Amino acid sequence: FRFLGHVEEVAEPSDFFPAPDTTTTSLGSWPMAGATAQRTSYSTTSISTSTNAITWYRPIESYITGSTQLVTSDGNVYVATADGLIVLNAEDGSLVCRFDTELPVNTPTVDGGIIYLPGMDRKLYSLDGSTCEEAWEFTAGAGFSGNPLVSSGQVFATNRDGKAYSIDIVTGTETWSYQTEGPITSSAAGDDGILYFASTDMYGYALDASDGSLVWKSPAKLRGFGQFVYWPIIYDNYVIFSVGLPYRYQSNPGDQNV
């Protein structure tokens, strides 16, 4: 089931989350989950599959969850695993660097040669994109399972402690946070100064990215069972949330099953 809400219109264009420039997309770049801040999963890059040949492959010893999306930037492939991050050369699959953790990490975002890596160990890491050397880490109240957004000197990340955070990309310190009534297990989307996400309290939220103030909250709870298995998508003047229903709905087996 999908809920469509209106994207907040602003009088002046914002520095936060500008619309992607489709004329200057870097070749092969997919630097975050969904490719853009709007989570459109759109790229201008064309792919030739005429040979159907495997260029390279590399066994990964650690488990990679089905919800992990590989991201690419600066000629590298960034792989989130149950034991940390692995960075591979996109041309030949050779190891560029790795960052080991005790708990699983989730899909990173790469911006300006810096990796922003969300971890289930309650930490968001800032790492060098070519050496995996840590610059800082930010600790929240629970694990980070969503993919962060980066814009205008801030990292925006949702957390299972029920908060959306804005974190300074230089210092790793909190700029603002917003508390909801349930864990936030999926990523946020951003567009023209507004951060959009859904919480397992079953409400959709829109926040002003500059200060974390509430722009709107969905007037009613979203339908579903608290299973947000995908990030919101910004399309035209709408934000689309995808939620899950239980396999058995109410008392009638087979009624409104997923």
Side-chain angles (χ1 to χ4, degrees):
F1 175 82
R2 291 182 178 181
F3 168 85
L4 282 74
H6 283 286
V7 172
E8 183 70 14
E9 295 183 359
V10 293
E12 296 292 336
S14 170
D15 292 334
F16 292 98
F17 319 125
D21 184 355
T22 58
T23 65
T24 60
T25 302
S26 299
L27 183 63
S29 179
W30 193 282
M32 69 190 81
T36 67
Q38 292 75 24
R39 309 291 188 187
T40 56
S41 296
Y42 174 78
S43 174
T44 58
T45 303
S46 61
I47 300 175
S48 174
T49 58
S50 58
T51 62
N52 293 321
I54 297 175
T55 303
W56 58 262
Y57 77 94
R58 183 185 181 94
I60 301 294
E61 67 274 14
S62 301
Y63 179 69
I64 303 173
T65 69
S67 61
T68 296
Q69 186 169 105
L70 302 183
V71 299
T72 60
S73 182
D74 304 320
N76 294 328
V77 180
Y78 301 83
V79 187
T81 79
D83 295 312
L85 180 72
I86 297 175
V87 182
L88 303 176
N89 184 290
E91 291 295 326
D92 58 17
S94 60
L95 180 66
V96 175
C97 63
R98 63 184 298 154
F99 183 78
D100 296 328
T101 56
E102 294 184 359
L103 292 178
V105 296
N106 293 295
T107 305
T109 292
V110 183
D111 184 83
I114 304 298
I115 308 165
Y116 300 94
L117 179 67
M120 295 304 291
D121 57 2
R122 304 187 298 124
K123 295 178 181 179
L124 177 70
Y125 297 93
S126 172
L127 310 174
D128 184 275
S130 57
T131 66
C132 293
E133 181 179 355
E134 181 180 330
W136 53 256
E137 59 185 51
F138 173 84
T139 303
F144 289 94
S145 55
N147 173 250
L149 295 174
V150 181
S151 185
S152 298
Q154 300 294 313
V155 187
F156 301 90
T158 52
N159 189 269
R160 288 175 174 263
D161 63 6
K163 291 183 179 180
Y165 290 94
S166 176
I167 302 160
D168 187 276
I169 64 171
V170 176
T171 64
T173 56
E174 180 182 321
T175 303
W176 57 255
S177 63
Y178 183 91
Q179 181 73 60
T180 70
E181 298 302 316
I184 308 175
T185 58
S186 59
S187 309
D191 186 66
D192 201 13
I194 307 297
L195 188 73
Y196 301 93
F197 62 91
S199 171
T200 54
D201 63 9
M202 300 310 297
Y203 287 99
Y205 293 86
L207 306 181
D208 188 316
S210 64
D211 59 13
S213 59
L214 182 67
V215 177
W216 57 252
K217 177 180 178 180
S218 59
K221 288 190 174 185
L222 309 181
R223 289 186 61 189
F225 198 57
Q227 301 172 25
F228 292 94
V229 294
Y230 211 67
W231 45 79
I233 298 172
I234 308 299
Y235 176 75
D236 197 12
N237 196 39
Y238 294 94
V239 55
I240 304 170
F241 298 101
S242 178
V243 303
L245 293 173
Y247 288 104
R248 173 173 168 175
Y249 187 76
Q250 295 180 348
S251 61
N252 300 316
D255 181 28
Q256 297 191 39
N257 284 4
V258 173

